[in-house]
Amino acid sequence: MASVSASELLDRHGEALRLFTDRVHAVREDQWSAPTPCTEWTVRELVAHLTSEQLWVVPLVTGGRTVTDVGDAFDGDVLGDDPVTAWDRAADGARRAFEAPGALERTVNLSYGDSAADAYCAQMVADAVVHAWDLSRAIGADERLPARLVEFARREVGPYAKDLSQSGLFAAPLDTAADTDPQTRLLALLGRRA
């Protein structure tokens, strides 16, 4: 995890959720089935992925539950008939969970084993930032990401970006020139062309 204070981490987490929320609220009815830079996901599937990730936070962080305990509770259609409201509720729950006293000092059980909750939060920030760009591109919204979030996400994913492509969930990192802007470098780390 990028070395930051708890208050800075929570600030970045809140900013990342607001950024993605702004993009979700900008999706037009005719765009939910549009393709995204995540080649296997439509806009709805991308929003469902992020919504599901937020839903996991509450039982893992505040409930002390394990991945096994939660099981398949968040599989399938988590968006229902109102994707925007589903996202808003899930994001609010995740935000409150990470803000709870002592939450960032806990250990959480993730799919790859135990992790510090602050590291989990940092991963969630980076994921929301990058997927906000994906969603922006898919719906024709402003693709510029806030500089603080870009820097935070780049520091977070930089150490393990190459490993992400081996998971099959991310494309291999792309080469960039030394003078490439920070946002383009971040996207390239995750196999995306700006």
Side-chain angles (χ1 to χ4, degrees):
M1 180 189 85
S3 178
V4 296
S5 68
S7 63
E8 182 181 350
L9 177 56
L10 289 174
D11 286 349
R12 296 301 83 76
H13 182 253
E15 289 171 15
L17 287 180
R18 285 190 299 277
L19 176 66
F20 196 81
T21 296
D22 288 347
R23 297 312 185 264
V24 170
H25 283 253
V27 177
R28 296 188 321 260
E29 277 305 312
D30 64 337
Q31 292 179 312
W32 288 102
S33 60
T36 70
C38 303
T39 56
E40 298 185 13
W41 286 341
T42 62
V43 166
R44 183 181 173 91
E45 290 163 333
L46 174 64
V47 173
H49 165 69
L50 265 288
T51 301
S52 178
E53 283 194 342
Q54 305 318 306
L55 291 170
W56 276 95
V57 174
V58 174
L60 297 179
V61 174
T62 60
R65 297 176 66 192
T66 67
V67 169
T68 303
D69 294 338
V70 177
D72 62 1
F74 304 123
D75 288 356
D77 182 11
V78 297
L79 296 181
D81 294 334
D82 189 350
V84 175
T85 298
W87 161 258
D88 287 347
R89 287 183 181 150
D92 184 58
R95 182 77 182 137
R96 289 175 189 267
F98 280 125
E99 287 180 331
L104 294 177
E105 299 162 17
R106 297 180 184 141
T107 298
V108 293
N109 177 261
L110 304 176
S111 59
Y112 54 82
D114 287 346
S115 172
D118 60 350
Y120 176 39
C121 185
Q123 292 166 16
M124 296 289 281
V125 171
D127 202 48
V129 170
V130 172
H131 285 316
W133 179 86
D134 293 330
L135 186 53
S136 297
R137 175 149 288 191
I139 66 171
D142 184 356
E143 295 178 14
R144 289 173 298 170
L145 300 170
R148 282 189 306 207
L149 288 177
V150 167
E151 180 56 25
F152 182 94
R154 192 180 61 74
R155 286 191 335 247
E156 172 59 28
V157 302
Y160 56 80
K162 288 183 179 151
D163 296 334
L164 291 174
S165 64
Q166 295 170 2
S167 71
L169 299 174
F170 293 86
L174 305 172
D175 291 330
T176 57
D179 62 347
T180 302
D181 68 271
Q183 178 172 315
T184 302
R185 280 198 314 267
L186 169 64
L187 297 170
L189 272 175
L190 298 168
R192 290 159 168 83
R193 282 191 202 287

